[in-house]
Amino acid sequence: MMNLHKWIVGIGLFTAVLGSAQAMTLSSKDIGEGQLLSNQFVFNGFGCTGENISPQLAWRDAPEGTKAYAVTAYDPDAPTGSGWWHWAVYNIGGDQQQLAQGAGSKHNGLPKGAIALKNDFGTTDFGGACPPQGHGMHRYEFTVWALPNPLELPKDASPALLGFMLRAQALGSAKLTAVYHR
């Protein structure tokens, strides 16, 4: 009976240690969980007239061993059968804790060493929300991924390939989902 008691106490301590670990978080001064995106973060084209600016994103409590980050913006509700990639950036330095508003623009730029892939609009810039007229509410999932090392991808890699590699190698991730409709 004494061994059972020690085992139960041990499990309780193990659970307490796991429960006290901080989960990686993603926040933004510009967008909120479940909140409607403002016109700043809407695409300018395809019938939309937004400012097409990437939102400020900040993360913390990355898992131990994180040496690089990736940031993706994805609409799983796009009527394509495969969603819509609005932004896919990888090899953000492990010392970075945020991307400034507008970092997704060629004019403002990403941190040194970061690589932006071509999005589904056909550019390497951030592409804002622009669901089809009358298609209902769409979710825009902004995700930061913690990586044990920078990724090595082909120069013409797709965001889908990046997504595969992120899911295979990420130490952790955090997501912030905003919404939009027209």
Side-chain angles (χ1 to χ4, degrees):
M1 191 68 146
M2 187 60 138
N3 284 340
L4 179 59
H5 176 70
K6 286 181 182 177
W7 183 79
I8 291 171
V9 169
I11 292 295
L13 289 173
F14 179 72
T15 303
V17 168
L18 283 179
S20 68
Q22 291 287 329
M24 187 173 176
T25 61
L26 178 62
S27 62
S28 176
K29 296 174 185 173
D30 298 327
I31 60 175
E33 182 67 31
Q35 298 296 309
L36 190 67
L37 290 169
S38 74
N39 198 51
Q40 284 184 296
F41 314 111
V42 172
F43 192 68
N44 189 16
F46 283 44
C48 294
T49 56
E51 296 176 40
N52 205 43
I53 297 172
S54 60
Q56 180 269 349
L57 299 170
W59 52 90
R60 54 181 213 190
D61 299 320
E64 190 173 327
T66 299
K67 294 188 178 137
Y69 295 99
V71 170
T72 57
Y74 177 74
D75 172 4
D77 303 314
T80 63
S82 60
W84 191 271
W85 292 95
H86 289 262
W87 202 22
V89 180
Y90 69 102
N91 291 353
I92 299 167
D95 59 337
Q96 293 288 316
Q97 296 294 300
Q98 72 170 341
L99 293 176
Q101 183 187 84
S105 168
K106 288 179 197 168
H107 305 293
N108 291 333
L110 295 166
K112 185 177 180 177
I115 299 169
L117 297 177
K118 192 178 282 189
N119 61 32
D120 284 336
F121 290 111
T123 73
T124 57
D125 291 338
F126 170 78
C130 187
Q133 184 77 34
H135 197 259
M137 193 68 73
H138 281 227
R139 294 168 290 160
Y140 295 87
E141 300 173 344
F142 292 83
T143 308
V144 61
W145 306 82
L147 299 165
N149 292 298
L151 295 173
E152 292 184 28
L153 296 177
K155 185 177 182 179
D156 60 348
S158 68
L161 176 59
L162 174 63
F164 176 82
M165 298 302 288
L166 293 173
R167 283 170 180 77
Q169 297 182 31
L171 299 171
S173 65
K175 186 186 302 183
L176 179 59
T177 304
V179 296
Y180 188 76
H181 66 90
R182 2 183 241 143

